[in-house]
Amino acid sequence: MANAHELPPVLSTPATHIFEDDAIPSQDLRSSSSSPERLDILYEIDRTVAEIKQGRWQRVALQFPDKMLRDAPSVFERLTERLAEPESQPEKDKKSDDDSRPPKVFILADTSYGACCVDEIAAEHVEADVVVHYGQACLSPTARLPVIHVFTKQPISVDLVVESFEATYTDHEQSIILMSDVTFASHLPHIGSRLTARGYTSLFTTDIVHNPSSPLPNRTVPDSIHLDPNHLQQWRLFHISEPADALLLTLASRVLSIHVFPTTNPRNSPSTAAPAASATVALRRRYAQLTSVSIVPVFGILINTLSVKNYMHIIDHVKSCISKAGKKSYTFVVGKLNAAKVANFGDVGAWVVIGCWESSLIDSKDFWRPILTPFELELALTDDEERVWTGKWKSDFQSVLAEEKRSQAAPIDVPPNTKESDTLKDELDGELDFGPESSPPSFDLRTGRYVSHTRPLQRQSTIQKLPERHRETQQSTAWVTRRPKGDLATIGNDVSPGAEFLRSKRTWKGLGSDFEIEYDLAEGSNGAVLEEGRSGSARGYLSSHSKAVT
């Protein structure tokens, strides 16, 4: 019997399997760049140290993507050692007494938002003077802190790239752009020189620039494209490594064709034009999604960045667009976006993401409501008669703000005979009845039906546009003609679609909502008499009936 108790239970894991995991090979547990020489090359230690000393920064934050965190301690040690090395006498004379001590280095173990963005929020927690960002980067301009970008020089087989390029483009006189991910950008000059030596006469090799609004995001373009951006449609593009979804949609809508050289398994997956075809399908799907979003009365604004420059301006722009369309918006600040978070708000019909140009594109198939970019929102709020789909797509909200500035700077032709009385007459006609049928319904192109209450704030915005002498008349008329059963719910005399959704559609409205209270239904009833409850601490409550209740 004693031996039976000494045996492990059936459901326990055998001791020989405790430290075994077939999913993670043992060689992957160690960094492939463990040697100091390899670290110096991959993470550009010399350049990083030189820029830190040149900037005289004393507190340095290191931001790694998740897949590079295993190298973070080694990089930290190498930077600390190099920054502590004695400098030459001329360099010492330039520094003050406060700058004589070596800089402090910190590792940001997690990012608040996407790994491609600079996490200024986490860096400010350690009062950092500069952020060293490693790996893939969207290169969006930051709002507060300077950044040192280290893309890391990833290895690649140049021979395979040249072989795949020649198999794809047999005509050596075609206009071709050679582009890659930032982690492989250091190989482009060598690849470009080899292809030029093999007879390609119209080959353009891109360089990295910090400009997401460029015709090729964050890349240089041929001189002819600066004169005419539409000339880019005559170029073919050969991209090394699989581009991000936002970049793929942008490129597919601007160049003639795309060929991708995969870096994961290049031997088994030669370059192919299939990504361009899939991007075209995805672009059509997103355009079709806008037809249903145009009738949404309530929008949610998801702030997915606090570091990208001008993010406050694009938030104000989005709010203004939604308000001008007579719709309601709510603002939410989120970190890592997922379907469970946004599903808690059932009254929101569509979401607009404010983030960097790479992370703003989110596939809505896993979410309950569509998720748009600011560019797509402008298209969705355009009238059906004026909406034109050109096939182009923008992912950078900086270009949306630039377009707004150009439209504001353009002169507006005003008819000379326009009078304020005529304008007020047109605005006042039909506005004396604020019932649900006052505003015309919107036509849903997907269902073929008319939908009412798609502009819950149209009445409020119309009154705010009127002069002060007409507002009192409009508001007093509204009180006279309002119908209690047809009006939308209001909070502080402002239309609240959220309160209307709570009143009409939500079955559970909080604690005590599962039963009816009689004195709430009876008119003229004052309810029950208030009773004094318990007081005191948890170890001994005091009540009106007893001295202490435990």
Side-chain angles (χ1 to χ4, degrees):
M1 194 69 176
N3 294 334
H5 289 287
E6 293 176 359
L7 296 175
V10 178
L11 297 179
S12 66
T13 304
T16 56
H17 296 170
I18 291 179
F19 298 102
E20 294 182 3
D21 189 357
D22 297 333
I24 303 177
S26 59
Q27 60 267 22
D28 290 343
L29 297 178
R30 291 186 57 189
S31 171
S32 60
S33 56
S34 57
S35 63
E37 295 78 10
R38 179 60 181 165
L39 283 175
D40 292 350
I41 297 175
L42 182 62
Y43 291 96
E44 303 183 40
I45 301 297
D46 294 338
R47 181 176 69 87
T48 304
V49 172
E51 293 194 20
I52 292 175
K53 291 183 177 181
Q54 183 179 2
R56 300 182 183 180
W57 293 305
Q58 291 299 311
R59 302 177 71 86
V60 182
L62 308 181
Q63 180 180 343
F64 295 87
D66 293 341
K67 63 181 181 180
M68 293 184 182
L69 278 177
R70 58 185 180 182
D71 289 339
S74 301
V75 175
F76 172 85
E77 293 177 359
R78 290 293 297 166
L79 287 176
T80 304
E81 293 174 0
R82 294 291 303 277
L83 291 173
E85 292 178 356
E87 300 180 2
S88 60
Q89 189 63 34
E91 295 294 334
K92 290 183 179 180
D93 296 338
K94 295 180 181 179
K95 288 187 175 183
S96 61
D97 295 337
D98 296 337
D99 298 338
S100 59
R101 61 184 184 276
K104 291 185 177 180
V105 183
F106 304 88
I107 299 176
L108 305 182
D110 192 13
T111 56
S112 303
Y113 300 98
C116 63
C117 300
V118 178
D119 194 352
E120 289 185 325
I121 304 301
E124 289 180 345
H125 289 169
V126 296
E127 300 179 353
D129 301 323
V130 64
V131 178
V132 182
H133 185 277
Y134 293 98
Q136 175 65 30
C138 60
L139 298 181
S140 299
T142 55
R144 293 174 289 273
L145 295 178
V147 184
I148 300 176
H149 283 284
V150 179
F151 303 126
T152 66
K153 298 180 179 180
Q154 300 295 334
I156 193 174
S157 176
V158 177
D159 296 334
L160 284 178
V161 175
V162 173
E163 178 185 348
S164 178
F165 189 95
E166 291 182 329
T168 304
Y169 303 105
T170 57
D171 186 1
H172 289 200
E173 296 182 357
Q174 291 179 339
S175 299
I176 307 171
I177 297 176
L178 182 60
M179 182 176 171
S180 74
D181 187 24
V182 293
T183 57
F184 300 98
S186 59
H187 302 283
L188 287 185
H190 180 47
I191 296 174
S193 61
R194 289 188 57 176
L195 292 173
T196 303
R198 299 200 177 195
Y200 287 92
T201 58
S202 185
L203 178 67
F204 179 81
T205 303
T206 59
D207 293 327
I208 296 177
V209 292
H210 293 241
N211 184 15
S213 300
S214 174
L216 297 177
N218 295 322
R219 300 297 188 276
T220 56
V221 295
D223 295 335
S224 60
I225 299 177
H226 290 291
L227 301 177
D228 185 9
N230 295 326
H231 186 64
L232 186 60
Q233 298 178 356
Q234 302 177 8
W235 288 76
R236 295 168 173 82
L237 188 138
F238 185 87
H239 195 278
I240 300 176
S241 77
E242 298 80 355
D245 294 339
L247 178 59
L248 183 60
L249 277 185
T250 304
L251 296 177
S253 63
R254 297 180 182 180
V255 299
L256 181 60
S257 63
I258 304 176
H259 287 78
V260 176
F261 178 82
T263 55
T264 53
N265 193 1
R267 271 298 184 188
N268 298 333
S269 301
S271 61
T272 175
S278 63
T280 303
V281 175
L283 188 61
R284 292 175 180 173
R285 186 183 299 113
R286 297 192 71 87
Y287 275 151
Q289 179 177 262
L290 301 183
T291 59
S292 63
V293 174
S294 60
I295 62 172
V296 168
V298 181
F299 285 86
I301 303 175
L302 294 172
I303 303 178
N304 197 33
T305 181
L306 296 177
S307 302
V308 178
K309 186 178 180 180
N310 293 330
Y311 77 94
M312 291 297 297
H313 294 80
I314 192 62
I315 293 174
D316 295 337
H317 174 70
V318 169
K319 288 182 178 179
S320 176
C321 291
I322 297 174
S323 178
K324 289 179 180 178
K327 301 175 184 293
K328 178 69 175 179
S329 65
Y330 297 99
T331 305
F332 304 84
V333 179
V334 295
K336 303 296 177 61
L337 183 62
N338 56 58
K341 291 181 180 179
V342 298
N344 290 318
F345 307 95
D347 53 329
V348 176
W351 300 89
V352 184
V353 176
I354 306 299
C356 75
W357 68 275
E358 279 194 5
S359 62
S360 297
L361 180 62
I362 299 175
D363 194 353
S364 302
K365 64 180 181 180
D366 297 330
F367 292 82
W368 189 34
R369 300 297 189 188
I371 300 181
L372 313 176
T373 63
F375 169 72
E376 294 172 338
L377 175 69
E378 290 187 343
L379 281 180
L381 297 181
T382 306
D383 293 338
D384 295 336
E385 296 81 6
E386 301 177 359
R387 186 186 299 119
V388 177
W389 295 341
T390 60
K392 295 183 179 181
W393 192 79
K394 299 178 182 179
S395 56
D396 179 35
F397 67 74
Q398 306 287 350
S399 60
V400 176
L401 294 176
E403 187 68 25
E404 181 192 15
K405 291 182 179 179
R406 286 192 293 267
S407 61
Q408 292 178 354
I412 302 176
D413 296 334
V414 180
N417 297 328
T418 301
K419 298 181 180 180
E420 182 183 2
S421 58
D422 297 337
T423 304
L424 292 177
K425 182 179 183 301
D426 295 337
E427 292 180 349
L428 290 174
D429 286 343
E431 293 293 338
L432 296 179
D433 184 9
F434 289 99
E437 69 275 12
S438 298
S439 58
S442 299
F443 183 73
D444 189 352
L445 295 176
R446 302 187 68 182
T447 61
R449 299 178 179 178
Y450 285 96
V451 182
S452 59
H453 298 307
T454 60
R455 298 177 177 87
L457 301 186
Q458 188 176 27
R459 162 182 168 269
Q460 181 179 356
S461 61
T462 303
I463 294 178
Q464 292 176 353
K465 292 179 181 178
L466 297 177
E468 189 68 29
R469 62 180 182 271
H470 293 278
R471 292 186 186 179
E472 296 180 358
T473 304
Q474 288 284 75
Q475 293 175 356
S476 61
T477 308
W479 284 106
V480 174
T481 60
R482 90 181 320 178
R483 289 182 289 273
K485 293 184 179 181
D487 283 348
L488 294 174
T490 59
I491 298 180
N493 294 329
D494 293 333
V495 176
S496 176
E500 173 64 21
F501 182 86
L502 178 65
R503 184 184 69 176
S504 61
K505 295 184 178 181
R506 283 192 182 271
T507 57
W508 189 83
K509 304 177 182 179
L511 295 177
S513 62
D514 52 346
F515 59 89
E516 296 181 352
I517 303 177
E518 295 184 357
Y519 60 80
D520 283 347
L521 303 178
E523 297 182 359
S525 176
N526 296 327
V529 180
L530 292 178
E531 297 182 359
E532 183 179 357
R534 298 178 180 181
S535 61
S537 59
R539 61 184 299 270
Y541 289 110
L542 299 178
S543 65
S544 58
H545 303 289
S546 59
K547 294 183 179 180
V549 179
T550 58

